[in-house]
Amino acid sequence: MAKKTETYTEAVEKLRRIVSDIERGELDVDVLSENVKEATRLIQLCKEKLFKVDEEVKKVLEGLDA
Amino acid sequence: MENDKQAGYSLAELLAHVRLSLADAFPDSYWVRAETSDVRVNAASGHCYLEFVEKNPQTNQWVARARGSIWAKTFRMLKPYFEMETGQVFTSGLKVLVQVNVEFHELYGFSLNVLDIDPAYTVGDWVKKRQEIIRQLKAEGIFSLNKELRLPRLPQRIAIITSATAAGYEDFLHQLRDNRAGYPFYTCLFPAVMQGERTEESIIAALERIDAHRECFDVVVIIRGGGATSDLNSFDSYLLAAHCAQFPLPIITGIGHERDDTIVDLVAHTRMKTPTAVAEFLVGCLDREAEWLAACQQSLAATVQHLLAVQKSGLQALGARLPAVVGSRIGRERSSLQVMGGKLPLLVTHLLAQRQNELDTAKQRMRVAIESRISKETRALELHAQFIRLASPAYILKRGYSLTLREGKILKSAAEVRPGDRLTTRFADGEVESTV
């Protein structure tokens, strides 16, 4: 797993690649399980960004002198 | 009109004369092209007072100017008519075509009293001006810059330019926060004047404040309370459009109007009609992502299941095919053996024939050799036989020799013979007995 968490866009790109790899059906069963694990993690990550309030962003915007 | 110095005119007399002369010289009403300026309405009377001016198109300097008035009775009808037709507030800075009476009043001076107005002229001028601005933005290569920016997949951090008191602002926030899926949005208001002459500079100033924090935002929205057609001239300004077009974040407009797009709408990344629609658009962006993720998850699960099933059935098929494969292989080997077996008799026959042939040849050669040998031996035997025949006593006797025997024994010397001996002489054809 990458140390730094991806941005949403990066995660989506990775996810796209993995899904298309899997869909092409060219993966070994061994590699498949790795990929599915990674894809699941990425989906989770994306969903968090999509649905969970990022307190840090909130604080930054509240602190802005508009 | 004559006049002598002593008598003179009173001012009123002179001006009355001017008034009458003017009335004589301009008895009709006239259509005049001019630009409005300093438009104001007397709240009590409802009369509209303004200035008509004409500028030198090159230098922009005023070259003509006249006071104007529109009496309340006329203005009450003309104003809504004009604004409906043009989509613009009747205000200063408009090119208008007005039908006027030329008037002069001793107390109030010269003025043009408006009887009618032709909105088509103003629309035409506005269209021309807009086209000119659009052409300029395109020529400078900035017209589509904002449209070329990529809207982030999750436009959640939103810089809002509007007036804090605008009804549209509340609608927008409400629509955004009450989204059904519960997406979080982060908003920051950059207040600006959204109507009147200060609109342009105020919005540009807000854009500049946002630009200073641009990494904090995904998108800028410019919204304004909707409702009836109102003052949109500021949104057709070259300066504001140029600022929007070149802004580094995507701009979404919801200026709330029904007429054709303003130039700011045209250069913005995305144009929505109302603040509410802007909020719906943003929520829609997140909906799309959420749907995509869900579809992704589903397709992933389905694909993995499918792949595993394919693998499994592949294995099964392989297992099922094994006996057949083995059987077919054995069959192939067997039939090749059979073919070989079938060939064997022929091979053997052939081999036997070959050997037979060899034997025959050997036999033949042997016979010839034996025969030649026999005939050789036969000849040798005949030679021996002839020799033996020639050497035999019988043959010698025939040639005239005779044998002398005494008592059956051959006598080889005359000295052995005694008188009185009985001798037998043998000839080839018989014997003779004699006594010595």
Side-chain angles (χ1 to χ4, degrees), chain A residues 8-9 12-13 15-16 18-19 22-23 25 27-29 32 36 39-40 42-43 46-47 49-55 57-58 60-61 64-66, chain B residues 150 153-154 156-158 181-184 186-191 209 213 216-217 286-287 289-290 292-294 296-297 299-300 303-304 307-308 311:
Chain A
Y8 182 83
T9 307
V12 164
E13 279 314 306
L15 193 53
R16 244 185 235 293
I18 292 176
V19 169
I22 293 176
E23 278 173 350
L27 293 179
D28 261 17
V29 172
L32 182 66
V36 171
T40 310
L42 290 169
I43 289 176
C46 288
K47 280 194 169 172
K49 298 216 187 241
L50 196 52
F51 291 105
K52 251 177 75 176
V53 177
D54 189 329
E55 293 299 335
V57 174
K58 210 168 147 185
V60 167
L61 289 209
L64 272 190
D65 178 22
Chain B
R150 224 166 128 175
R153 289 176 161 276
L154 302 183
Q156 287 173 303
R157 303 175 304 161
I158 303 160
Y183 309 121
Y186 315 96
T187 59
C188 189
L189 174 66
F190 291 80
R209 292 198 301 276
H213 304 287
C216 297
F217 297 101
L286 270 69
D287 275 340
E289 287 303 312
W292 183 77
L293 277 177
C296 205
Q297 201 167 12
S299 120
L300 197 65
T303 311
V304 168
L307 275 182
L308 289 178
Q311 295 269 1

Side-chain angles (χ1 to χ4, degrees), chain B residues 325-355:
Chain B
V325 168
V326 169
S328 114
R329 182 60 186 272
I330 289 175
R332 230 170 29 240
E333 296 295 329
R334 180 180 291 152
S335 86
S336 107
L337 273 177
Q338 276 170 350
V339 167
M340 254 152 54
K343 279 184 183 159
L344 209 52
L346 202 65
L347 273 177
V348 168
T349 313
H350 180 70
L351 206 65
L352 283 177
Q354 202 179 352
R355 293 280 176 270

Side-chain angles (χ1 to χ4, degrees), chain B residues 72-222:
Chain B
K73 196 179 72 173
T74 311
F75 191 62
R76 273 198 300 272
M77 275 155 43
L78 281 190
K79 181 178 154 70
Y81 167 64
F82 176 84
E83 292 183 351
M84 188 153 79
E85 292 294 310
T86 61
Q88 300 188 57
V89 172
F90 185 79
T91 183
S92 303
L94 296 175
K95 290 244 171 80
V96 292
L97 178 61
V98 286
Q99 190 184 26
V100 296
N101 282 334
V102 178
E103 286 181 354
F104 188 84
H105 189 278
E106 289 87 330
L107 196 51
Y108 305 113
F110 181 83
S111 82
L112 301 174
N113 183 245
V114 176
L115 305 173
D116 199 0
I117 187 163
D118 181 4
Y121 178 79
T122 306
V123 170
D125 175 65
W126 170 73
V127 166
K128 222 166 67 194
K129 229 167 18 192
R130 268 172 53 102
Q131 279 168 347
E132 178 54 29
I133 292 173
I134 291 169
R135 193 198 57 73
Q136 189 179 351
L137 290 169
K138 284 186 173 162
E140 288 165 353
I142 60 177
F143 185 81
S144 59
L145 284 183
N146 200 260
K147 291 181 184 306
E148 286 162 17
L149 294 177
R150 224 166 128 175
L151 194 69
R153 289 176 161 276
L154 302 183
Q156 287 173 303
R157 303 175 304 161
I158 303 160
I160 306 169
I161 296 181
T162 194
S163 149
T165 55
Y169 179 50
E170 284 308 314
D171 294 345
F172 176 78
L173 288 184
H174 183 265
Q175 189 75 20
L176 202 60
R177 290 188 178 145
D178 285 2
N179 72 80
R180 261 187 302 150
Y183 309 121
F185 283 97
Y186 315 96
T187 59
C188 189
L189 174 66
F190 291 80
V193 176
M194 299 305 280
Q195 295 195 49
E197 282 166 24
R198 287 193 49 234
T199 306
E200 181 185 70
E201 58 173 310
S202 175
I203 295 178
I204 290 173
L207 283 173
E208 278 164 2
R209 292 198 301 276
I210 296 171
D211 193 30
H213 304 287
R214 75 171 89 147
E215 72 288 345
C216 297
F217 297 101
D218 299 312
V219 67
V220 175
V221 306
I222 300 179

Side-chain angles (χ1 to χ4, degrees), chain B residues 1-4 7-14 17:
Chain B
M1 171 176 135
E2 285 174 30
N3 172 242
D4 70 53
Y9 286 123
S10 78
L11 179 62
E13 282 168 350
L14 179 69
H17 195 68

Side-chain angles (χ1 to χ4, degrees), chain B residues 12-49:
Chain B
E13 282 168 350
L14 179 69
L15 294 188
H17 195 68
V18 170
R19 173 164 57 84
L20 289 170
S21 302
L22 270 176
D24 261 359
F26 299 95
D28 301 320
S29 60
Y30 303 91
W31 285 99
V32 180
R33 298 186 304 274
E35 190 173 316
T36 59
S37 173
D38 200 17
V39 175
R40 62 210 183 277
V41 180
N42 185 307
S45 66
H47 302 318
C48 173
Y49 300 97

